[in-house]
Amino acid sequence: MGSKNITNYPEVLSEEIIEIGEAPKSIPGKPPRSALEKWLRDGLLQSALVGRKRFVSRHSIQRMLIRMNENPGREFTETESSSEKGSSEKPEETSGMS
């Protein structure tokens, strides 16, 4: 995927994770990779970088879908998505993804 900065959410690793390339199979409509990239950059879809591979959790996909369905057509910002988690910790910034 692209080399834009993507926020790293290490807590995702405590959930059932899948490689980013497998994520579209778990999302209704099997969105293109470009949609995943946008959701990751916008902070809507939370992921974690392990080595050179990026992972998402099935729970992070579910959380994203719930937010999208509660507010159809609305753009989300990373700050808003992070604050909805209820965490006061600032996630790590990473660049690139595999």
Side-chain angles (χ1 to χ4, degrees):
M1 289 193 160
S3 61
K4 303 276 188 214
N5 283 344
I6 297 171
T7 302
N8 196 39
Y9 293 88
E11 62 273 13
V12 166
L13 298 174
S14 67
E15 301 169 344
E16 180 186 353
I17 60 172
I18 55 176
E19 271 192 66
I20 193 69
E22 297 296 314
K25 296 175 187 172
S26 299
I27 302 172
K30 297 182 183 170
R33 289 180 71 99
S34 60
L36 290 173
E37 289 177 18
K38 181 179 183 336
W39 296 333
L40 288 166
R41 283 192 312 269
D42 292 350
L44 187 56
L45 178 59
Q46 299 169 347
S47 67
L49 191 64
V50 178
R52 298 179 69 189
K53 294 189 182 231
R54 186 156 296 278
F55 294 86
V56 296
S57 71
R58 295 187 189 284
H59 286 96
S60 66
I61 291 170
Q62 183 179 27
R63 287 189 296 267
M64 177 191 73
L65 293 173
I66 289 169
R67 282 193 299 268
M68 291 171 85
N69 284 316
E70 287 175 346
N71 300 288
R74 181 169 176 209
E75 291 291 321
F76 291 86
T77 64
E78 183 177 332
T79 304
E80 181 178 5
S81 296
S82 297
S83 66
E84 288 177 2
K85 292 184 336 180
S87 173
S88 60
E89 288 184 34
K90 180 170 172 62
E92 303 170 22
E93 289 288 327
T94 60
S95 62
M97 52 185 298
S98 297

